[in-house]
Amino acid sequence: MSSSLAQRQPPPTLVACLCAAWCRLCDSYRETFAQLREQHPGARFIWVDIEDDAELVGDLDVETFPTLVVGVGEQLRFCGPVTPQLATAQRLLETVLAPGAAAAAAGPDAQALLSRLQHSC
């Protein structure tokens, strides 16, 4: 692949849902997350169990479920809890994935998680 072609490709978009196996709200959110995946076929959607994948999650403190992490390339666009309604998540993704959307003001633990997710999942 030529370097000019590589430069034209948009950076990969990642949407990760951070949940826990014991969380009943997360169980019900799986269908919503699947619908989001269908609506954004160019993005990579991953489900991360914060306990089973504790090494991957690292030091990020997840207190509320579901929590979404959204990044475009290495730019973190969102990291935080969302209400479990499809319309809410749709509006969130529309906003943070819009061309020219700003990076999220998040701590280093969230940025480090995005980097790990982009490179290992």
Side-chain angles (χ1 to χ4, degrees), residues 67-71 75-82 92-93 96 102-104 106 110:
T67 289
L68 292 184
V69 175
V70 182
Q75 185 183 60
L76 182 67
R77 297 277 181 94
F78 180 82
C79 180
V82 295
L92 170 73
L93 290 181
V96 301

Side-chain angles (χ1 to χ4, degrees), residues 55-69:
E55 279 188 35
L56 184 62
V57 175
D59 292 332
L60 183 68
D61 190 21
V62 180
E63 296 179 4
T64 305
F65 299 109
T67 289
L68 292 184
V69 175

Side-chain angles (χ1 to χ4, degrees), residues 26-42:
C26 292
D27 287 345
S28 65
Y29 195 68
R30 281 188 183 271
E31 184 175 327
T32 299
F33 199 65
Q35 289 174 312
L36 292 170
R37 178 183 291 121
E38 290 175 13
Q39 295 169 3
H40 297 273

Side-chain angles (χ1 to χ4, degrees), residues 3 7-8 12 14-15 17-18 20 22-23 28 32 34 43-44 54 64 78 82 101 113 115:
S3 62
Q7 291 173 349
R8 287 187 229 142
L14 177 113
V15 180
C17 183
L18 307 181
W22 50 263
C23 176
S28 65
T32 299
R44 192 165 42 121
T64 305
F78 180 82
V82 295
L113 172 58
S115 184

Side-chain angles (χ1 to χ4, degrees), residues 6 30 58 94 101 119:
R30 281 188 183 271
E94 182 179 300
H119 292 98

